[in-house]
Amino acid sequence: MIKLIVSGRVGSDAELKTVGDTTVCSFSIAHSEKVYGQTPGEKTIWVGCSVWGERAVKLSPFITKGTYIVAEGSGTVNAFMKNGEPVGMINCRITSLEFGGKPNAETTLHTATPPVGKLDLGEDLPF
């Protein structure tokens, strides 16, 4: 197993889908970090994330654009060709989440308040 921990802001509201008999909540996290050297700046890495099962339905209202999340789970990389160039996408099947809130300048239509602290998505959840 490859364990992945990623922190960053959600790129767009979570999307619920049904895959077979299971529901999946999909979203992306943008992780940004400073780059030093001859051309300093900032680079952003996008990580595709998913939560499966009943937890997906319960957590999806809280996973909205701009929310800061620390996600932990098993990591994979999908390689494919885009416009003739090789591309790789990092994916994380989440086993635990920690919500950090929304940016202060952003207003939102969502009124749901995310759970506080780290959520272990093991067998038993408190909700």
Side-chain angles (χ1 to χ4, degrees):
M1 172 178 160
I2 298 173
K3 188 170 188 175
L4 179 67
I5 300 173
V6 62
S7 63
R9 298 219 177 261
V10 176
S12 62
D13 293 354
E15 182 179 323
L16 280 177
K17 299 178 193 173
T18 301
V19 178
D21 294 338
T22 307
T23 303
V24 61
C25 172
S26 301
F27 58 97
S28 295
I29 295 177
H31 173 76
S32 298
E33 55 188 50
K34 294 191 184 294
V35 176
Y36 300 97
Q38 292 182 351
T39 55
E42 189 173 273
K43 71 176 180 176
T44 301
I45 298 171
W46 287 90
V47 178
C49 297
S50 62
V51 177
W52 291 76
E54 187 178 329
R55 295 170 191 97
V57 176
K58 292 181 179 180
L59 288 172
S60 66
F62 305 111
I63 302 172
T64 57
K65 181 176 182 174
T67 302
Y68 183 82
I69 290 180
V70 178
E72 183 178 327
S74 57
T76 60
V77 176
N78 291 341
F80 56 95
M81 299 294 283
K82 182 176 181 179
N83 299 327
E85 297 289 324
V87 177
M89 177 71 178
I90 301 170
N91 297 297
C92 181
R93 185 169 179 163
I94 296 176
T95 57
S96 71
L97 271 179
E98 186 170 346
F99 289 88
K102 288 206 165 272
N104 293 335
E106 183 178 313
T107 58
T108 180
L109 299 175
H110 299 281
T111 58
T113 303
V116 177
K118 186 175 183 177
L119 300 175
D120 183 7
L121 300 183
E123 295 303 313
D124 297 314
L125 284 179
F127 51 95

